Amino acid sequence: GENVEQHPSTLSVQEGDSAVIKCTYSDSASNYFPWYKQELGKGPQLIIDIRSNVGEKKDQRIAVTLNKTAKHFSLHITETQPEDSAVYFCAASPTYGNNRLAFGKGNQVVVIP
Amino acid sequence: NAGVTQTPKFRILKIGQSMTLQCTQDMNHNYMYWYRQDPGMGLKLIYYSVGAGITDKGEVPNGYNVSRSTTEDFPLRLELAAPSQTSVYFCASSYSIVTTQPHLHFGNGTRLTVT
């Protein structure tokens, strides 16, 4: 099955700086790559996703890039704010079916005011 | 809309006890899922359902059972609790895969400790 690796496990950034989280996946058939944000005591929430026919997608301060040849995708957060502090999960799926969605282990982002 | 609601929020069980984790959604999603989240291990799919009356195993189904009698409800049953089932459990729902919005909507989780 799909194996998703996420790096680094913890990332500390100064408020206003950028944060980048990288994920690699193993199954070349994967074509759907969502990112979820989990705040303390809450369930994960989708923040952005990308499909394999697109190389980059932006939504305000958040962007995701995808390199299908290298089988990796990254989350970019610009102008970080304290409310960006959370655990971020990447995931990959070979279809739009969530029953085959494989999650990374998560990345703790800490924004230092 | 309340979204996905899970109860209870916390529970402590003794080894061998049983319990049901409740999950309900009011978004009329036909797909529902149960995940467990262990520290530093991401999310693992336990069971999922594509509609009322239909359930299927995920990656880690052993020790659990589910049922889906209505579109709204998807309870998770632990029959003989074991320490290895200590985890945070998340229920989620989504539209059908044929739509353009397949992303998961999660509840806030149930933290279960088995001692």
Side-chain angles (χ1 to χ4, degrees):
Chain A
E2 175 64 273
N3 181 45
V4 177
E5 299 281 344
Q6 195 166 346
H7 305 280
S9 58
T10 304
L11 178 63
S12 295
V13 295
Q14 289 293 135
E15 182 177 354
D17 287 351
S18 295
V20 180
I21 306 167
K22 297 179 182 177
C23 285
T24 60
Y25 62 97
S26 60
D27 189 343
S28 57
S30 286
N31 59 14
Y32 175 60
F33 307 92
W35 284 90
Y36 286 84
K37 175 184 180 183
Q38 185 178 27
E39 296 175 348
L40 196 60
K42 300 278 185 70
Q45 183 175 18
L46 181 81
I47 53 171
I48 197 168
D49 60 9
I50 193 168
R51 294 188 169 84
S52 61
N53 57 341
V54 175
E56 181 175 357
K57 185 176 177 181
K58 273 186 171 182
D59 183 2
Q60 299 182 344
R61 296 186 296 106
I62 296 170
V64 57
T65 57
L66 171 65
N67 183 328
K68 285 221 76 180
T69 303
K71 294 214 263 303
H72 67 71
F73 56 113
S74 300
L75 178 72
H76 304 253
I77 308 172
T78 58
E79 300 171 24
T80 53
Q81 299 168 5
E83 54 264 36
D84 295 327
S85 295
V87 177
Y88 292 81
F89 291 96
C90 61
S93 172
T95 68
Y96 289 176
N98 289 308
N99 55 299
R100 295 179 66 187
L101 194 62
F103 283 87
K105 292 182 179 180
N107 177 294
Q108 175 78 58
V109 173
V110 177
V111 179
I112 304 165
Chain B
N1 284 353
V4 179
T5 303
Q6 291 184 240
T7 56
K9 287 187 168 58
F10 304 94
R11 184 73 187 268
I12 298 174
L13 280 183
K14 293 192 186 305
I15 295 170
Q17 286 185 320
S18 62
M19 78 164 292
T20 299
L21 282 67
Q22 302 291 346
C23 175
T24 188
Q25 53 94 8
D26 62 358
M27 296 173 283
N28 202 31
H29 287 167
N30 49 351
Y31 276 52
M32 294 188 76
Y33 316 80
W34 275 105
Y35 287 89
R36 61 177 287 172
Q37 183 180 34
D38 299 313
M41 294 301 293
L43 292 150
K44 300 290 186 186
L45 182 64
I46 304 171
Y47 270 96
Y48 68 99
S49 168
V50 302
I54 306 169
T55 63
D56 210 344
K57 295 177 181 178
E59 188 180 355
V60 289
N62 291 347
Y64 307 94
N65 277 301
V66 292
S67 59
R68 185 93 182 272
S69 56
T70 66
T71 299
E72 295 78 21
D73 300 306
F74 190 41
L76 177 72
R77 180 85 178 159
L78 283 70
E79 289 294 350
L80 289 169
S84 61
Q85 293 177 306
T86 294
S87 189
V88 181
Y89 291 85
F90 287 99
C91 179
S93 68
S94 72
Y95 289 109
S96 160
I97 60 172
V98 299
T99 74
T100 58
Q101 290 179 295
H103 69 266
L104 297 162
H105 298 254
F106 284 90
N108 284 332
T110 294
R111 183 176 293 275
L112 175 67
T113 302
V114 182
T115 62

